[in-house]
Amino acid sequence: MNTTPPPTDRTRVRRGAANAAYEPELVRAIVDAAYICHIAFSDGQGAHCIPTACWREGDHLYIHGSNGSRMLKQLMAQDACVTITHLDGLVLARSAFNHTMNYRSVMIYGRFEAVGEAEQRRTLDAFMDHLAPGRRLEVRGGNDKEHAATTVLRIPLAEAACKVRSGGPEDDEEDMGIAAWVGELPMVRLRTGPVADAACAVAAPAYVRDWVSAP
């Protein structure tokens, strides 16, 4: 049973509250398992929900983009909602309405802030390490022109709520006699073998060779 209270009223999960969790370590774990998040915001043209690359350092989620990005400009002027979901399986029950999914998800509320130049350069290195640990030591880093054209934003993880479900179906007693297969169809994120570019003449480094077996 979850014993950590929600950080704010708007993060309190009301529908399916038994699957709610608010522990900071779970928030961080769900964020760390993601490469993409979805960010909801609004402007004069209506509501938008845009997928973008993300990474975590400490108790902040980071994103980056062009200085001219409409989304980045709006995110510094209003509260936003960030979501991440990992689908772990389909759960098949005896009743159509009792079918469900196993998943891990997080919603993060708050306002993004821009980071300074020194922080930007440092955290973009952390982003590269998130994508492929060790890669940034082998490639050209961003130059002054590239960094000047880039904005890095971060949002605190302080106001967040998780929902997580695992396990099998929960059938109603009156449906237990139905002769249908029940159980879970698990899903996992599968890494496949690296594919070298045709013009690449460099032997694969360890992080490439270990890509399939990496946790």
Side-chain angles (χ1 to χ4, degrees), residues 123-185:
T123 196
L124 285 175
D125 284 345
F127 177 40
M128 185 63 64
D129 286 336
H130 176 57
L131 295 177
R135 179 72 177 171
R136 67 181 177 86
L137 301 177
E138 301 176 359
V139 300
R140 178 183 67 80
N143 58 36
D144 291 344
K145 181 179 180 181
E146 290 168 329
H147 278 284
T150 301
T151 297
V152 174
L153 302 183
R154 69 179 191 176
I155 187 172
L157 301 178
E159 191 177 1
C162 302
K163 285 188 75 174
V164 177
R165 190 196 188 280
S166 61
E170 298 178 3
D171 278 304
D172 297 326
E173 184 64 32
E174 58 268 28
D175 294 329
M176 295 303 293
I178 296 175
W181 188 92
V182 295
E184 181 187 4
L185 301 179

Side-chain angles (χ1 to χ4, degrees), residues 62-150:
Y62 288 77
I63 63 172
H64 77 297
S66 166
N67 291 346
S69 165
R70 172 189 59 174
M71 179 178 74
L72 268 57
K73 291 178 179 178
Q74 291 294 329
L75 292 180
M76 289 185 285
Q78 61 178 268
D79 278 10
C81 179
V82 182
T83 62
I84 293 171
T85 301
H86 305 290
L87 178 61
D88 296 324
L90 305 179
V91 180
L92 309 186
R94 292 172 176 83
S95 162
F97 275 72
N98 281 333
H99 283 60
T100 186
M101 300 180 186
N102 286 336
Y103 60 89
R104 292 158 290 139
S105 67
V106 64
M107 296 180 67
I108 303 161
Y109 293 91
R111 184 166 299 189
F112 282 87
E113 64 178 1
V115 305
E117 180 181 353
E119 172 74 0
Q120 172 176 305
R121 290 175 180 266
R122 186 198 60 74
T123 196
L124 285 175
D125 284 345
F127 177 40
M128 185 63 64
D129 286 336
H130 176 57
L131 295 177
R135 179 72 177 171
R136 67 181 177 86
L137 301 177
E138 301 176 359
V139 300
R140 178 183 67 80
N143 58 36
D144 291 344
K145 181 179 180 181
E146 290 168 329
H147 278 284
T150 301

